[in-house]
Amino acid sequence: MAGLAESGSNPDVDLLYDINGLAKDAPRWFDRVVEVVGEYGLLLAMVLLVVCCWWGVRRRGEDDAAVSVAALIWAPLAAAVAVLVNIPIRGFVERPRPFLDHQGLEVLVSGKTDYSFVSDHATITMAMGVGLFVASRKFGLAGIGIALVEGFCRVYMGVHYPTDVVGGFALGTAVALLLSPVAMALLTPVTRAVEGSGWGGVLIRARGAGSRTGSGSGVDAGSGAGAVPGARSAEAEERDLAA
């Protein structure tokens, strides 16, 4: 597999030089920003995106909040599973980093001695983005966008071939989607149990959030636990007047 990257006429290598060549023409401060963002920043952004989505689900307190939180838990778990799956893939393919086989690359991050295919960063961010999409399309699309930027940064930094990134996207997507039914079947009962507990319910639904009126709970807005004794609804008074 390493031989796939040995020819400069290979489209994979050509695209590598085209994207990485942008780093040579860019100011040093910009390369430094891409280095930090591509190595750490976008991973942190994905974590914050998951937290923001959870906070929104918790505040809305909808009836399917437990299901949505289960999907959010699956997003980082999917990334972890995908990275574990990638370990034997890297060992089987044994593709060296591009800067080991090709001269003239602008390498922004030094010390990368492991194999190149597939990219862990691309795998993690795409798995989390697709996992987020299961819970929320809006946040999921944002997460997938972050993953695409991450993939570009890895090639720009000279530490991965474009096909390393594409392989990471495919692996992260496959793990997040194919294992999602099993993960949801296991995680949803747990989040429902937490929702019904006195100590953990606030992790699923904020206190006072998500009125269950009309949701099949049998609680009427005018006759709930917080209703004033002796108070009558306007509809009841109208029926009395009509009588």
Side-chain angles (χ1 to χ4, degrees), residues 14-15 32 49 55 70 117 122 124 137 168 177 200 228:
D14 291 341
L15 188 56
R32 179 60 178 169
L49 198 62
W55 188 258
F117 186 90
I124 291 171
R137 289 188 177 183
L177 289 182
V228 178

Side-chain angles (χ1 to χ4, degrees), residues 4 7-18 161-163:
L4 292 175
S7 172
S9 62
N10 189 304
D12 193 23
V13 178
D14 291 341
L15 188 56
L16 165 68
Y17 275 105
D18 289 341
Y161 294 98
T163 48

Side-chain angles (χ1 to χ4, degrees), residues 94-212:
E94 295 186 348
R95 189 185 206 181
R97 294 281 180 169
F99 53 80
L100 296 177
D101 287 340
H102 303 283
Q103 302 297 321
L105 292 175
E106 186 75 12
V107 182
L108 303 186
V109 179
S110 60
K112 298 288 184 179
T113 58
D114 55 343
Y115 293 121
S116 185
F117 186 90
V118 298
S119 167
D120 276 340
H121 282 72
T123 301
I124 291 171
T125 50
M126 186 57 76
M128 292 186 70
V130 174
L132 262 176
F133 190 82
V134 175
S136 168
R137 289 188 177 183
K138 179 178 69 174
F139 283 93
L141 290 175
I144 292 172
I146 290 176
L148 295 176
V149 175
E150 179 68 270
F152 178 84
C153 288
R154 303 308 290 177
V155 181
Y156 182 98
M157 294 159 62
V159 295
H160 281 292
Y161 294 98
T163 48
D164 297 338
V165 170
V166 173
F169 289 164
L171 176 60
T173 300
V175 169
L177 289 182
L178 295 180
L179 298 183
S180 177
V182 176
M184 292 299 294
L186 295 174
L187 292 172
T188 300
V190 176
T191 55
R192 289 195 187 280
V194 172
E195 181 184 20
S197 67
W199 56 269
V202 293
L203 296 175
I204 310 298
R205 189 191 304 269
R207 298 189 185 280
S211 172
R212 291 181 176 268

